[in-house]
Structures are given as structure tokens and as C-alpha cells.
Amino acid sequence: MTANYSIQTTKLNNDGCTTRQVDPVLETKDKYDFGYIERTVYEFADSDDTLGPQVKEALSVIEQTYKTYGLDATALSFNGGKDCTVLLHLVVAVLSRLHKDRQHLRTVFVTCPNPFPHVDAFVNVCTRRYHLDCIAIPGPMRPALQEFLSCSSPSPKAIFVGIRRNDPYAETLTHFNKTDKGWPDFMRVHPIIDWTYKDIWGFLLKLRIPYCSLYDYGYTSLGSMENTHPNPQLRNESGDGFKPAYMLQDETYERCGRVGSSVS
């Protein structure tokens, strides 16, 4: 299997978004109704759904962050991946609840060499929909974050990161962790650190939130076109094509389509 196979068989359409049925309110290419997102997310958190407690905890972490650091000193790291998409939707729900949804959400998009056009297109449409003030900076991550802090005024004191417990180097992380020595100085905030792969897809599918179309073609973890392939665990029994990412049963195989570490 090669990256060329993936590119040729995965056409870019619908602004890089899934063509699965989504919430009609979320189909617009214009700015979302944040009040609607607030209502649907907080109602889901209070529902009897098994994912409700995880959503409620994540919302509480985000609320605490804004109350501690304020809107101007808080930013979001977003790369178009499934985890970041969940996090972005949660953050916007909280901004509406706190009546802070009129300003742009400060966002950094750390890009990789030779990216999938689907990811770039999806980030662009999310920038409009979620009213992002999105700055794209080429990686690697450490100098990119330093540049983001240096070019931002005021400089962010806290940044939301969509990392989960089974991601590389995330085993000991909590909801709030200062960056390590030698890294740009800010508070890393991880609202979905204890979510599973199944939780991520449960949230996206139950609330019918648009996500990057690559996940519909067997990709389960996204990076550059050089190191990202459809997950072999999702290959159809006929050998022709792949099942969508949400059909992966064992999340320990989430990165089987990746060469190197994961970004989403």
C-alpha cells in the first residue's frame, strides 16, 4: 500500500468534510450558531448517554481555563484531526455559555510538510464556521509554538491541546500541565485527555458534527502524505477499499496506518 493509492482514491470534495449525513444546522459554510452548539452539547452532557460524564468533565475543564486565564490569554491548537474537532466543538459551546462568543477564537495550526489537501480544506472551512483567528505556522512543533507566542499579543498563557491518554508521551498527563523545560512557556490544557477512541467517534457521530473526509476512507490517524495511509485493520474483506475510521474496534490499532508519531 502506498500514499499514492490513498491520494488517487480519496477525492477532495465538500471542503474536505465528510459526506455522511450531519446535523443540517452544521452544514453551512458560514459562521455557526454558537448558541445552538451550546444547547446541543450541554444537553448531551446532561443526558443519560454513557458519554455524558466525559463531556461534562471536559466542559468543566474548559470553563475553569477561561475563568483562570481569560479569553485573551487562552488559545487553541487545531490541526483538523478528529480529536481537535471534538475539542473545538466543546470550546465553542463553553464560549457561548460564558457569553464570550463574539470574538474570534485564537488558534494555531502547526502544519506538516506535504499535507493532505483534504486537511487544509477542512481547517479552512472550520476557520469560517467556528470564527477562528487561525495562524498557520510550519512545524516542527517546538519552534512553531514559540513563533505563535512571540507573534501573539497578548501572548497566550494557556493553550487547549486535543491529546488523549493513549497518544505518545501522554501517559502521565493531567488536565493541566506546564510545558516541559526547553519548550515555550505556557499551560497545556487537555480537556479530553481521558477520552477513548470510541468516545471521540461517539461524540462526533451522535451530535452529527462534520469531520475531515479522510476518516471515511480508512484513515484513523492523520499526518503528512508521506507517513499516513489507510489503516490495514479496516481493509474490506474483498480487499477493495477500506471501512471508515469509526468502525475500528480495537483502538490499540489506531496508528497502524502511520509511520512515526500521530498528530490526530
Side-chain angles (χ1 to χ4, degrees):
M1 188 192 315
T2 66
N4 284 336
Y5 171 86
S6 309
I7 297 165
Q8 292 168 1
T9 58
T10 310
K11 295 181 179 179
L12 173 58
N13 52 33
N14 200 35
D15 293 294
C17 300
T18 179
T19 55
R20 282 179 53 84
Q21 185 176 6
V22 299
D23 186 331
V25 176
L26 303 179
E27 288 183 329
T28 178
K29 302 299 189 294
D30 299 322
K31 182 187 174 185
Y32 280 156
D33 178 348
F34 286 6
Y36 176 80
I37 293 177
E38 175 195 346
R39 290 191 299 275
T40 54
V41 169
Y42 276 86
E43 286 174 2
F44 185 70
D46 290 332
S47 72
D48 294 332
D49 193 280
T50 55
L51 187 51
Q54 292 282 66
V55 176
K56 187 173 293 187
E57 181 179 55
L59 292 171
S60 177
V61 171
I62 297 167
E63 291 170 355
Q64 181 181 344
T65 302
Y66 279 118
K67 291 175 181 177
T68 301
Y69 297 98
L71 180 63
D72 290 340
T74 304
L76 168 75
S77 177
F78 181 68
N79 60 16
K82 61 188 183 301
D83 302 334
C84 288
T85 300
V86 167
L87 178 57
L88 173 58
H89 207 76
L90 292 167
V91 168
V92 164
V94 171
L95 286 175
S96 178
R97 176 60 58 97
L98 299 178
H99 307 291
K100 298 181 182 293
D101 55 333
R102 293 187 178 275
Q103 292 179 247
H104 285 81
L105 174 57
R106 301 172 69 189
T107 309
V108 58
F109 173 30
V110 179
T111 62
C112 60
N114 198 16
F116 283 95
H118 312 68
V119 174
D120 285 349
F122 181 70
V123 171
N124 286 336
V125 75
C126 284
T127 297
R128 299 195 301 273
R129 286 170 163 170
Y130 290 98
H131 206 48
L132 306 181
D133 177 11
C134 186
I135 300 176
I137 303 175
M141 184 66 70
R142 189 182 309 195
L145 290 174
Q146 184 59 66
E147 181 177 346
F148 177 62
L149 265 61
S150 299
C151 73
S152 301
S153 181
S155 182
K157 296 181 180 179
I159 298 180
F160 293 116
V161 181
I163 196 170
R164 292 185 290 113
R165 183 72 60 200
N166 67 334
D167 287 329
Y169 313 112
E171 296 89 350
T172 62
L173 293 180
T174 64
H175 287 127
F176 297 91
N177 293 97
K178 290 285 287 184
T179 49
D180 294 335
K181 183 178 180 180
W183 281 73
D185 184 29
F186 60 88
M187 180 65 73
R188 290 168 48 105
V189 185
H190 315 120
I192 59 172
I193 184 65
D194 291 318
W195 287 41
T196 65
Y197 183 87
K198 181 180 179 181
D199 292 337
I200 293 295
W201 282 111
F203 186 82
L204 291 172
L205 296 178
K206 290 174 182 178
L207 292 182
R208 297 184 294 164
I209 299 167
Y211 56 84
C212 181
S213 60
L214 288 174
Y215 293 114
D216 289 335
Y217 297 94
Y219 294 85
T220 53
S221 178
L222 305 182
S224 72
M225 289 196 291
E226 280 92 359
N227 68 1
T228 306
H229 311 285
N231 193 319
Q233 295 293 320
L234 291 173
R235 183 180 288 277
N236 288 323
E237 288 75 8
S238 65
D240 181 23
F242 296 82
K243 302 180 183 72
Y246 58 81
M247 294 188 69
L248 184 69
Q249 296 300 309
D250 187 343
E251 68 177 73
T252 60
Y253 292 108
E254 180 179 354
R255 289 169 185 81
C256 284
R258 287 295 304 276
V259 178
S261 60
S262 171
V263 297
S264 58

